[in-house]
Amino acid sequence: SDLQKQEERGELLQPLTFVLLVLCSVLLYFRVSLMDPGFVKPEGAEAGKQEAESSAVSWVPGGIPEVPARRCGYCLLKQPMRARHCQLCRHCVRRYDHHCPWLENCVGERNHPLFIVYLSVQLVVLLWAGQVAWSGLHFQQSWDWLKHNALLLISFLLIVTLSTVVLLLLVSHLYLISCNTTSWEFLSHHRISYLQHSGLENPFDQGVVLNLWRFFC
């Protein structure tokens, strides 16, 4: 059959790979959006365990004073350094980065690395889809061509727009990760007490290599 011939020639490998990437992207989306981003738990044994697990990410170099943990004004829990209360999720989130409206979840200590993986896979899918859409466009200066290719042209322009947004988002996050800072800390540096008292621009920065290693590994 034609399908068997295409399989023998290896023509089915690319579409199958694309479908798998799309499926992986969808699974990552649901995983990141449904998982606990690092909600601060009440004081106790579980909170102590969580504090130990997050020590590598929240580590501060010696000589820089740590601001004592304060009570959150919303949920009244003891708020560790780099945590912030999200009024949409109604929880304090460890190493809070931002609340993503597309995920309907916060991006924090636990799901931030997976969020970067999701953005990377999504960018590959969009670029691949854009290449496929571009290969089907053979421009001609005629009304009939525009009428028959309008949907494909709109799809290509939409893919380009989404690819640009995802690319900028991924690059900005990788830059902040390489500096060991978060979107919230970067945008609200002047309002965060532990940054104001540190005396340094970024007390968490340990160098690009170590910052990336601590974040992903």
Side-chain angles (χ1 to χ4, degrees), residues 13-23 124-126 128-129 132:
L13 182 60
Q14 285 193 355
L16 285 176
T17 304
F18 180 77
V19 171
L20 288 175
L21 279 174
V22 173
L23 179 61
V124 172
V125 170
L126 287 169
W128 195 336
V132 172

Side-chain angles (χ1 to χ4, degrees), residues 94 120 157:
R94 291 178 177 271
S120 302
L157 295 176

Side-chain angles (χ1 to χ4, degrees), residues 105-155:
N105 194 13
C106 282
V107 175
E109 183 179 84
R110 293 192 62 191
N111 64 350
H112 199 173
L114 206 58
F115 177 71
I116 299 300
V117 175
Y118 165 69
L119 288 180
S120 302
V121 174
Q122 189 65 55
L123 181 61
V124 172
V125 170
L126 287 169
L127 292 176
W128 195 336
Q131 187 273 328
V132 172
W134 177 259
S135 64
L137 290 172
H138 303 285
F139 293 97
Q140 298 177 10
Q141 293 183 351
S142 67
W143 174 250
D144 289 336
W145 177 89
L146 183 60
K147 185 169 61 176
H148 289 93
N149 292 273
L151 184 59
L152 184 59
L153 184 60
I154 292 173
S155 300

Side-chain angles (χ1 to χ4, degrees), residues 6-194:
Q6 288 179 338
E7 185 178 2
E8 291 173 358
R9 293 195 298 265
E11 295 177 358
L12 295 180
L13 182 60
Q14 285 193 355
L16 285 176
T17 304
F18 180 77
V19 171
L20 288 175
L21 279 174
V22 173
L23 179 61
C24 181
S25 175
V26 173
L27 292 176
L28 283 170
Y29 171 83
F30 283 108
R31 175 61 176 164
V32 176
S33 63
L34 296 176
M35 74 181 296
D36 177 358
F39 294 135
V40 177
K41 302 295 192 300
E43 292 88 341
E46 186 177 2
K49 179 181 177 183
Q50 192 179 50
E51 186 71 36
E53 290 176 347
S54 66
S55 60
V57 178
S58 301
W59 179 81
V60 183
I64 298 176
E66 288 196 31
V67 178
R70 63 182 182 86
R71 292 281 177 180
C72 175
Y74 296 95
C75 57
L76 303 180
L77 293 177
K78 187 177 289 186
Q79 196 177 67
M81 187 177 292
R82 311 195 79 177
R84 183 175 187 262
H85 185 88
C86 176
Q87 297 189 39
L88 295 175
C89 292
R90 298 182 180 179
H91 282 284
C92 284
V93 180
R94 291 178 177 271
R95 201 180 183 277
Y96 175 87
D97 188 87
H98 71 285
H99 182 92
C100 181
W102 304 108
L103 296 173
E104 281 295 328
N105 194 13
C106 282
V107 175
E109 183 179 84
R110 293 192 62 191
N111 64 350
H112 199 173
L114 206 58
F115 177 71
I116 299 300
V117 175
Y118 165 69
L119 288 180
S120 302
V121 174
Q122 189 65 55
L123 181 61
V124 172
V125 170
L126 287 169
L127 292 176
W128 195 336
Q131 187 273 328
V132 172
W134 177 259
S135 64
L137 290 172
H138 303 285
F139 293 97
Q140 298 177 10
Q141 293 183 351
S142 67
W143 174 250
D144 289 336
W145 177 89
L146 183 60
K147 185 169 61 176
H148 289 93
N149 292 273
L151 184 59
L152 184 59
L153 184 60
I154 292 173
S155 300
F156 175 74
L157 295 176
L158 180 61
I159 291 171
V160 170
T161 303
L162 292 175
S163 299
T164 303
V165 172
V166 174
L167 177 62
L168 292 175
L169 189 60
L170 179 60
V171 169
S172 63
H173 272 275
L174 288 175
Y175 169 74
L176 293 176
I177 292 166
S178 68
C179 300
N180 197 0
T181 188
T182 64
S183 300
W184 173 57
E185 291 170 343
F186 180 77
L187 296 173
S188 305
H189 185 278
H190 61 287
R191 296 194 292 114
I192 301 175
S193 58
Y194 59 81

